[in-house]
Amino acid sequence: MTTISYPPKPSPGDRIAVISAGAGLPELFPRPFELGLERLREDYGLIPVEYPTTRKMGTTPRERAADIHAAFADPDIKAVVASIGGDDQITVLPYLDRELIRANPKPFFGMSDNTNLLMYLRNTGIVGYHGATVMCELGRPGAMNPRTADSLRAALFTSGEYELRPADRWNDVNRDWADPATFEAEPETRPGNGWTWVNADRVVEGRTWGGCLEIVGWLLMADREVSHDLSEYDGAVLLLETSEDMPSATEVFRTLRNMGERGLLHRFSALLMGRAKTWSFERPNSPEDAARYGSEQREAVLRAMRDYAPDTTIVFDVDFGHTDPQLVIPYGGLVRVDGPARRITVTY
């Protein structure tokens, strides 16, 4: 079983790498990217360093792997942050040098398609951080969401426990990055509905595994970075959330069912299910349709868990996925889920 440890933290004034291991979308949408870099410099006191593929679309997996190697191997770089996600980071994994990365452990921040690299790092023995890409969270119009900003600051600079709290207000409706008016005001938000707990009669603690549901499914299909020794996941805390691709409830159920058939689901002590993203430019749902989509996804998850892991503690609508705010979760790090107290505490 791989020993997983937290890498050293950066400090204000340090240089951090900004990479595009999934897609070089800063080339197409420079405004949120530049805004995110500005906040890294001014709000967090860090010095972002770009690489050849950071602002370049259409790069090869080998080229992106070279940037990852350069970022981890440089002793002056103290952390690595993803610009954004993508959809083909899985093709980068075969080109990565595990020993080089293991010898130079650093905090990595990313989510969505970056589930690939987070899982790779966990298997390399390095705790990563699910959340806080440059363009989405740091580049949020108007200002960063205070909950996101505080969580990121704690994850970047501190070690120890940090309590996650339900969002008072949240949003999942995006505006066009190509329209300058998008950046003149903060996104509109709506009231939060708290977390929904299932089997909340116990306290469990474990190291996290999972990420974006679609990417987890792809990794399982490719038989990549998922251990064949399933006992490695005994007692772990499963993180799952869905992207702007908005998979149907049927697809969500089938992915979880296949995880159950593989013998995975019952091994986890808890499931933290991220708040569903219910709107996209391709599917601009009405509030009623959005609520229906979220409800159907929740029922799909419950159905699969009842079939394969009926006693597992589940918490729905945790704010760590493709919605705003976005709490940073240590990937491979410790999370305590306290059902009786209705509290979730992570260790950064």
Side-chain angles (χ1 to χ4, degrees), residues 22 71 118 140 153 162 177 211 238 298 335:
L118 288 166
R140 182 179 186 264
R153 186 175 302 279
Y162 181 92
W177 278 341
L238 178 60
R298 186 180 296 108
V335 174

Side-chain angles (χ1 to χ4, degrees), residues 4-337:
I4 309 169
S5 59
Y6 289 83
K9 301 273 187 176
S11 300
D14 282 342
R15 295 160 61 87
I16 65 167
V18 178
I19 62 171
S20 296
L25 287 172
E27 179 182 20
L28 302 182
F29 302 104
R31 183 68 184 94
F33 183 66
E34 291 288 354
L35 183 55
L37 296 181
E38 179 182 324
R39 288 179 179 145
L40 282 172
R41 288 188 290 262
E42 297 187 2
D43 297 350
Y44 294 92
L46 297 166
I47 303 170
V49 178
E50 298 182 41
Y51 290 78
T53 67
T54 302
R55 299 196 195 214
K56 187 177 179 182
M57 290 291 292
T59 58
T60 68
R62 191 184 294 275
E63 288 172 323
R64 282 173 275 154
D67 281 358
I68 295 171
H69 291 154
F72 275 89
D74 187 342
D76 291 332
I77 296 294
K78 303 303 182 183
V80 184
V81 183
S83 66
I84 198 168
D87 70 358
D88 75 338
Q89 196 177 107
I90 193 171
T91 65
V92 176
L93 299 184
Y95 296 100
L96 295 181
D97 184 335
R98 199 177 298 274
E99 293 311 311
L100 180 152
I101 293 172
R102 181 180 285 121
N104 299 278
K106 293 171 185 178
F108 170 73
F109 293 80
M111 45 84 68
S112 193
D113 198 32
N114 294 289
T115 294
N116 289 282
L117 189 49
L118 288 166
M119 198 177 292
Y120 182 94
L121 291 171
R122 189 187 195 277
N123 291 337
T124 307
I126 302 170
V127 172
Y129 295 89
H130 185 283
T133 59
V134 174
M135 295 177 71
C136 296
E137 289 74 46
L138 283 151
R140 182 179 186 264
M144 286 186 72
N145 187 292
R147 287 183 182 268
T148 306
D150 186 72
S151 174
L152 175 58
R153 186 175 302 279
L156 274 169
F157 300 130
T158 70
S159 300
E161 293 188 346
Y162 181 92
E163 184 174 351
L164 308 183
R165 298 182 184 276
D168 298 324
R169 301 188 66 84
W170 68 284
N171 173 59
D172 69 344
V173 177
N174 303 113
R175 291 181 293 181
D176 185 0
W177 278 341
D179 183 356
T182 292
F183 297 91
E184 294 176 359
E186 292 188 37
E188 294 183 6
T189 59
R190 51 191 184 274
N193 54 2
W195 296 334
T196 300
W197 292 73
V198 179
N199 296 330
D201 58 347
R202 71 208 71 166
V203 179
V204 299
E205 183 173 88
R207 292 187 176 272
T208 58
W209 183 89
C212 182
L213 180 79
E214 296 96 300
I215 307 305
V216 172
W218 297 353
L219 287 164
L220 285 163
M221 283 189 283
D223 195 21
R224 189 167 293 167
E225 295 305 317
V226 180
S227 177
H228 288 187
D229 179 4
L230 299 184
S231 67
E232 286 200 16
Y233 306 115
D234 287 347
V237 174
L238 178 60
L239 307 176
L240 291 176
E241 54 91 16
T242 53
S243 75
E244 69 276 7
D245 287 345
M246 295 175 58
S248 69
T250 299
E251 183 177 349
V252 170
F253 170 75
R254 288 173 176 169
T255 301
L256 285 166
R257 181 180 63 186
N258 292 343
M259 292 174 67
E261 288 294 323
R262 185 156 177 168
L264 270 171
L265 283 189
H266 74 276
R267 297 185 177 273
F268 298 101
S269 61
L271 164 60
L272 304 185
M273 192 73 199
R275 187 190 300 278
K277 182 165 177 58
T278 62
W279 186 99
S280 71
F281 287 108
E282 291 73 25
R283 291 179 59 189
N285 278 335
S286 68
E288 295 76 19
D289 288 339
R292 185 179 306 109
Y293 176 88
S295 177
E296 290 174 352
Q297 182 179 108
R298 186 180 296 108
E299 288 303 313
V301 173
L302 284 171
R303 178 185 169 198
M305 296 301 287
R306 281 194 297 264
D307 288 347
Y308 294 97
D311 298 325
T312 302
T313 299
I314 307 171
V315 191
F316 286 101
D317 293 337
V318 184
D319 298 279
F320 68 88
H322 281 73
T323 59
D324 175 58
Q326 186 185 96
L327 302 173
V328 178
I329 310 289
Y331 193 102
L334 291 172
V335 174
R336 186 170 66 252
V337 183

